[in-house]
Amino acid sequence: MSATIERQVVDAGDDAYVDDAWALKEAIRRKEGILRQRRGFFRDAYRRSTVYLFLESGPVDTERLVGFAAVRRDGYILFLAVAEGFRGEGFGERLVARVAEDHSSVTCHARSTNEPAIGFYRHLGFEIKRRIDNYYEDGGDAYYLKLGDEGGITERLQRLLG
């Protein structure tokens, strides 16, 4: 029996999948040294966000979190993560596209040394608006990125995923 991938949205105030999201984020942190946050900060931010999810449904009512984007009311992406085995399959792009459907402006921060993330966002049409020194708790610098207005995200994603 094959697994299926389903989309789901968790409204602010609901902590459904918060432990799964934390586990995914921590797996990425351990492997790549990015996405460092304290657990309490992460849980509070997750609960205040609308969270867009991709879940893999397997046999016997099992689910696995494929990826998620936790987003503030103003379209700011607090967290975006895709499980290692699902990267390169368009899940990150689809999460950003889903956020763009609901928000007129989509923004985020990325660690200035996280070249894969910066490349991913630029590939989708995000523009670096400014650099912020000492943005992260560990003293790391960040870029503030905003999804550009040139060509809609839907058109861009249709070409990318086409």
Side-chain angles (χ1 to χ4, degrees):
M1 177 180 271
S2 65
T4 59
I5 306 293
E6 299 174 0
R7 289 185 348 176
Q8 188 170 348
V9 178
V10 175
D11 292 325
D14 189 342
D15 65 358
Y17 302 102
V18 67
D19 292 329
D20 294 322
W22 172 259
L24 173 56
K25 183 206 76 67
E26 282 295 285
I28 294 168
R29 182 194 58 77
R30 284 189 298 275
K31 182 168 172 102
E32 300 175 22
I34 56 173
L35 301 178
R36 295 179 214 132
Q37 289 89 24
R38 288 172 279 120
R39 187 178 184 108
F41 172 82
F42 179 86
R43 291 179 75 85
D44 289 345
Y46 182 100
R47 288 180 178 138
R48 289 190 313 267
S49 302
T50 299
V51 183
Y52 302 87
L53 306 141
F54 279 111
L55 299 163
E56 178 184 43
S57 298
V60 194
D61 295 329
T62 60
E63 283 183 328
R64 181 169 85 153
L65 183 61
V66 170
F68 74 97
V71 182
R72 292 188 324 208
R73 288 183 299 204
D74 62 357
Y76 176 83
I77 300 172
L78 289 161
F79 305 107
L80 176 69
V82 175
E84 184 176 17
F86 294 92
R87 291 183 180 180
E89 296 183 30
F91 291 106
E93 290 93 342
R94 288 185 202 119
L95 286 165
V96 172
R98 183 64 180 87
V99 172
E101 286 177 19
D102 290 349
H103 300 280
S104 59
S105 174
V106 180
T107 59
C108 66
H109 283 92
R111 191 173 284 270
S112 62
T113 57
N114 188 349
E115 293 179 19
I118 294 165
F120 166 79
Y121 286 119
R122 292 187 80 152
H123 175 67
L124 292 179
F126 280 77
E127 300 166 357
I128 295 173
K129 293 299 186 180
R130 66 182 169 274
R131 180 185 175 106
I132 304 166
D133 295 334
N134 300 309
Y135 177 78
Y136 293 102
E137 196 171 86
D138 64 2
D141 302 336
Y143 290 121
Y144 177 73
L145 299 112
K146 182 176 182 183
L147 186 60
D149 297 327
E150 292 297 317
I153 185 75
T154 304
E155 294 169 12
R156 194 173 301 118
L157 286 171
Q158 286 174 347
R159 286 193 305 270
L160 291 172
L161 302 173

